[in-house]
Amino acid sequence: MAETKQFKAESKRLLDMMINSIYTHKEIFLRELISNASDAIDKLYFKSLTDDKVNMNKDDFCIFITADKDNGVLTISDNGIGMTKDELENNLGTIANSGSLAFKTENSGAEDIDIIGQFGVGFYSAFMVAKEVEVRSKAYGEDKAFLWKSEGVEGYTIEECDKDTVGTEIRLTLKDNTDDESYDDYLMDWKIKSLVKKYSDYIRFPIKMEVEHDHLKEGTGTNDVPPEYITHKEIETLNSMVPLWRKSKNEITDEEYTKFYREKFYDYNEPLAHIHTKAEGTATYDALLYIPSEAPMDYYTKEFSKGLQLFSSGVLIMDKCADLLPDHFSFVKGLVDSQDLSLNISREMLQHDRQLKLIAKSLERTIKNELKKMLSNDREKYEKFWKAFGLQIKFGMYNGYGVNKDLLKDLLLFYSSHEKKLVTLDEYVSRMKEDQKYIYYAAGESVAKIDCLPQTEVVKDKGYEILYLTESVDEFAIQMLMEYEEKQFKSVSASDLDIETPEEKEEFKKIAEENKDLFAYIKDSLDGKIKEARLSERLKTHPCCLTNEGQISLDMEKTFAAMPNSEHNVKAEKVLELNPEHPMFRTLQKLYETDKEKLKDYSKILYTQALLIEGMTIDDPLDFSNLVCSLMVNSVES
Ligand code: ADP
């Protein structure tokens, strides 16, 4: 049998890779060192629960940061479990050896610990910013303390040193500034504060630092005396420690939820709603989500990027994890904290997205339910939501060939002829008349304009409600849906309106047949602009209107024409409908017998008027104007 050989590792190269290749941002070294300190404290705290000799309370533990600006040294110290000489050797001298992972495995099942480390490489990130790292450590229960010291890939030394208290102190002598990188920044109060807030705000133990404050000297800063300041040093706790989302809901007031939202997501407005959930089972996570009350300025532009913050054990992993939110709910802001994520080695990303997908699916359901709840319990609030984000939901109906239409359809609102209010499809269907077959809709620029459309006359006359589609995406969304509660949608401009009674149908057929030649002549006069001229079943008072055949409606034609870079040739198949009840119809009949040339002109005028009523552009305004003028002149002369 062939002999199995061990792989060899080029440890200098390996360490170089650990230091320089796995992280995208140098600043995360602080997150890694603070996480290590927190783990060390967790371990001693865990011991203290069963060992009286530790003699420490939870409140005694702390992580301390000191910035020595004069010497360029940043120190992070903790009063955690510390490391023995052997542990320094094993944990810091062996790449990818994680004492923390071993501890977690040995004590798995213990409730009150929240160990972060697992890969055994985070510590080396210190060398991204430091030219020398010194670790002084005294392990719990030991008399001696040891100093581990290294300048990076060349190796390390360990020797005995003085240290009175149990715990670990990590001293980083920062690299010299370069053109691209100012390492001095890591000594600035503002920088340290912001990094702690960003990555380590929810570390369970206080992270403290001595911070300088300027106070106005007493008796100065008045009208006569110019202001003088005294610099004053104070120890400040930089992190908020308790993640709001880990508290139980009944401990949190609405004000606290709002305050958190405003501070964390930089929105001055109050959120419309918050969703605080804890999920267990296939996906285990805590989530705190908010629905903003207004769309951000860039919301409907390419600049907007969606996403939720992702935390693992209270440490920030990603600031905007886009995969957690589907596009139709991209307006949601918030965060997710999960302990079961399998992170990649840099802890900046996930290994694979199976858990992420499960969490995202579960969040999608939660958000949908919250919106449904708002719709039934607080209509005013929902309408506010709809005003801000309804468009996005409608895009969602249409995107991906309608894969999400069933999820989203009962969130839709449209204006309706019924009291000119926003209605849901459910409300529409519940009010449908007994003999009503379809859900009718009309598309146009505004409620007022749609209201005047001749095509709506007969539907209104029958007492049927009409949905007013005022945004260009509406009709696409409705067509994607096709039906709701087994009722099909029907445009008031559809060629097959299917609204007359059988008697009316008979009568129509007769008149249509009698005027067949007239209609054919009108069609020919319009040189292929229309597919057909025919008798209208939908007009009551107007002489004529345009409708369409096929999928592309008149409104869609307008939408396509308005799109930048569009091929402007997407056209509706237009039908000119004429109202047999209108006196104009008699005039046309008469002209067909007496003056066919004039009938040609009249046909053009009627067609162009119908275009104008639809709000469509006319092909030859000059020709139209000339025709109307000559008509006016003739009517006076004759
Ligand atoms: P990880 O934290 O992923 O385990 P690190 O490279 O950051 O990897 O650290 C390696 C090990 O060194 C840790 O698992 C822990 O056992 C030990 N260690 C690091 N920092 C400290 C500290 N401040 N106090 C005690 N032990 C520490």
Side-chain angles (χ1 to χ4, degrees), residues 32-33 35-41 43 78 80-83 87 91-92 94 96-101 116-124 135 137 167-170 347:
E32 294 299 311
L33 297 180
S35 297
N36 282 349
S38 164
D39 282 352
I41 292 177
K43 291 172 202 166
D78 65 70
I81 192 115
M83 281 177 277
E87 282 166 343
N91 292 332
L92 305 187
T94 319
N97 186 46
S98 171
S100 292
L101 181 63
I116 304 159
Q118 52 173 325
F119 295 118
V121 297
F123 170 76
Y124 304 108
V135 181
S137 195
T168 302
E169 180 187 291
I170 310 213
R347 304 207 291 128

Side-chain angles (χ1 to χ4, degrees), residues 81-88 136-147 158-167:
I81 192 115
M83 281 177 277
T84 61
K85 187 178 179 199
D86 282 351
E87 282 166 343
L88 282 168
R136 287 180 176 72
S137 195
K138 186 173 188 180
Y140 171 74
E142 298 283 316
D143 301 329
K144 289 182 180 162
F146 290 89
L147 165 65
I158 299 183
E159 63 193 280
E160 215 180 305
C161 70
D162 288 335
K163 186 175 190 311
D164 296 336
T165 52
V166 169

Side-chain angles (χ1 to χ4, degrees), residues 4 38 48 102 164 179 261 279 321 349 374 414 444 448 466 479 531:
T4 306
S38 164
S48 76
D164 296 336
D179 288 346
Y261 169 77
C321 181
M349 271 174 287
M374 195 193 287
F414 293 106
I466 303 172
Q479 286 205 350
K531 184 160 183 271

Side-chain angles (χ1 to χ4, degrees), residues 127-328:
F127 289 104
M128 289 193 293
V129 298
K131 54 186 177 195
E132 185 182 70
V133 178
E134 291 173 325
V135 181
R136 287 180 176 72
S137 195
K138 186 173 188 180
Y140 171 74
E142 298 283 316
D143 301 329
K144 289 182 180 162
F146 290 89
L147 165 65
W148 180 101
K149 192 159 139 179
S150 168
E151 290 178 13
V153 291
E154 293 307 328
Y156 60 91
T157 59
I158 299 183
E159 63 193 280
E160 215 180 305
C161 70
D162 288 335
K163 186 175 190 311
D164 296 336
T165 52
V166 169
T168 302
E169 180 187 291
I170 310 213
R171 268 172 64 96
L172 311 179
T173 308
L174 296 179
K175 289 183 180 175
D176 301 326
N177 290 342
T178 64
D179 288 346
D180 309 326
E181 192 77 38
S182 165
Y183 295 98
D184 279 352
D185 278 358
Y186 297 120
L187 297 167
M188 302 297 171
D189 289 0
W190 61 266
K191 182 75 179 177
I192 297 170
K193 278 182 180 179
S194 79
L195 290 179
V196 170
K197 268 266 162 246
K198 179 166 176 192
Y199 294 108
S200 312
D201 202 26
Y202 306 107
I203 290 291
R204 305 200 293 162
F205 304 99
I207 303 168
K208 296 185 179 178
M209 182 169 75
E210 197 171 60
V211 179
E212 288 186 355
H213 288 288
D214 286 338
H215 290 290
L216 194 65
K217 195 173 161 185
E218 223 175 294
T220 73
T222 58
N223 282 347
D224 319 319
V225 192
E228 271 181 54
Y229 294 94
I230 315 175
T231 309
H232 189 80
K233 288 186 175 174
E234 270 168 32
I235 292 179
E236 242 179 57
T237 299
L238 310 183
N239 56 332
S240 29
M241 292 186 278
V242 184
L244 189 67
W245 61 91
R246 293 251 187 109
K247 286 190 187 171
S248 91
K249 278 189 229 179
N250 46 26
E251 281 175 37
I252 312 172
T253 61
D254 281 349
E255 288 72 38
E256 280 176 295
Y257 278 122
T258 301
K259 183 167 173 274
F260 184 81
Y261 169 77
R262 284 189 170 141
E263 283 171 5
K264 200 145 181 101
F265 301 105
Y266 311 110
D267 188 352
Y268 174 75
N269 298 307
E270 257 186 50
L272 267 190
H274 65 259
I275 310 169
H276 185 182
T277 63
K278 193 181 208 50
E280 261 155 27
T282 42
T284 303
Y285 65 85
D286 293 301
L288 181 52
L289 310 179
Y290 292 90
I291 298 173
S293 52
E294 271 171 41
M297 293 283 271
D298 64 349
Y299 185 63
Y300 291 105
T301 70
K302 282 207 194 77
E303 271 68 54
F304 179 80
S305 55
K306 61 169 185 172
L308 298 176
Q309 288 194 327
L310 182 64
F311 287 82
S312 171
S313 297
V315 180
L316 181 71
I317 303 300
M318 265 169 128
D319 200 27
K320 251 188 191 167
C321 181
D323 292 342
L324 283 171
L325 280 181
D327 281 345
H328 42 268

